[in-house]
Amino acid sequence: MAKNKFSNSFKATPNKEEWNEICPPMEYRIISATDAYSLGIVPTGLTNINSVAIGASGSTDNTIMYFANYFRVDGTEIDQEPYFELYESGSTQSSLYGIFHHANFEGRTETLNVSELSKISASGSTTDIQFTAKPDNNAGTLEELRKQGKISGFEYTWKQGMKKNDTK
């Protein structure tokens, strides 16, 4: 079941061009928490960040979603807090942004509606962006991570896109 709770009280500093310089479409980068804070990708109140995985989806209709998955130490567990920015139809302004949450936090989270979930899906992604294991490298392609089983949240829409290509 997809996450459908998010908060949009934080907007990362990078614009679309800067996101693309940090991480090109269909790739990922792992950066230190210090670098992520200096780039304005992590909210100042979010503490205990170990590192940040940044990725960029891509799609055939030029809609893209950048994400920054915060790896945060929570007691003995690693909690993943994915931040996202969605740019639709080649726009240079994000149409939707926020942090995906696994639960409803009273007064802090909103529910994504069907239209917003469809927009995210059009980017080639879902709201379930999670890393199942630390990537072997600090940079590479999302396809590599998918094949290694180290990322989820792109699989469903990746398969849907492949089905569309097979029918042409």
Side-chain angles (χ1 to χ4, degrees), residues 58-113:
S59 75
T60 55
D61 66 354
N62 208 18
T63 294
I64 189 166
M65 188 169 85
Y66 296 95
F67 69 88
N69 200 345
Y70 312 132
F71 295 107
R72 184 173 64 86
V73 177
D74 188 4
T76 59
E77 301 293 320
I78 300 295
D79 192 11
Q80 296 185 49
E81 300 282 343
Y83 171 82
F84 72 99
E85 281 194 28
L86 183 71
Y87 293 84
E88 294 181 84
S89 304
S91 175
T92 59
Q93 299 297 313
S94 61
S95 60
L96 188 62
Y97 63 88
I99 298 174
F100 294 127
H101 295 284
H102 54 81
N104 184 26
F105 299 103
E106 188 70 33
R108 294 189 316 177
T109 56
E110 300 177 34
T111 301
L112 290 160
N113 63 41

Side-chain angles (χ1 to χ4, degrees), residues 6 20 22 37 99 119 130 132 138 147:
F6 81 110
N20 206 40
I22 295 167
Y37 280 109
I99 298 174
K119 290 175 182 182
Q130 292 292 314
T132 59
N138 286 332
K147 287 179 179 178

Side-chain angles (χ1 to χ4, degrees), residues 15-160:
N15 62 32
K16 185 178 181 184
E17 184 177 311
E18 292 165 331
W19 275 114
N20 206 40
E21 289 173 13
I22 295 167
C23 186
M26 298 306 293
E27 294 188 15
Y28 74 92
R29 303 287 185 269
I30 307 294
I31 64 172
S32 71
T34 303
D35 289 345
Y37 280 109
S38 69
L39 289 167
I41 294 173
V42 181
T44 55
L46 192 57
T47 59
N48 297 329
I49 301 293
N50 177 278
S51 59
V52 178
I54 299 168
S57 72
S59 75
T60 55
D61 66 354
N62 208 18
T63 294
I64 189 166
M65 188 169 85
Y66 296 95
F67 69 88
N69 200 345
Y70 312 132
F71 295 107
R72 184 173 64 86
V73 177
D74 188 4
T76 59
E77 301 293 320
I78 300 295
D79 192 11
Q80 296 185 49
E81 300 282 343
Y83 171 82
F84 72 99
E85 281 194 28
L86 183 71
Y87 293 84
E88 294 181 84
S89 304
S91 175
T92 59
Q93 299 297 313
S94 61
S95 60
L96 188 62
Y97 63 88
I99 298 174
F100 294 127
H101 295 284
H102 54 81
N104 184 26
F105 299 103
E106 188 70 33
R108 294 189 316 177
T109 56
E110 300 177 34
T111 301
L112 290 160
N113 63 41
V114 173
S115 173
E116 291 165 331
L117 290 169
S118 294
K119 290 175 182 182
I120 290 168
S121 182
S123 75
S125 187
T126 71
T127 59
D128 288 321
I129 298 166
Q130 292 292 314
F131 284 78
T132 59
K134 185 178 178 185
D136 297 331
N137 301 308
N138 286 332
T141 68
L142 294 177
E143 183 177 2
E144 291 167 355
L145 292 181
R146 245 191 316 276
K147 287 179 179 178
Q148 296 169 13
K150 293 188 177 183
I151 191 170
S152 65
F154 288 94
E155 192 66 28
Y156 173 75
T157 49
W158 177 263
K159 286 179 181 175
Q160 292 300 103

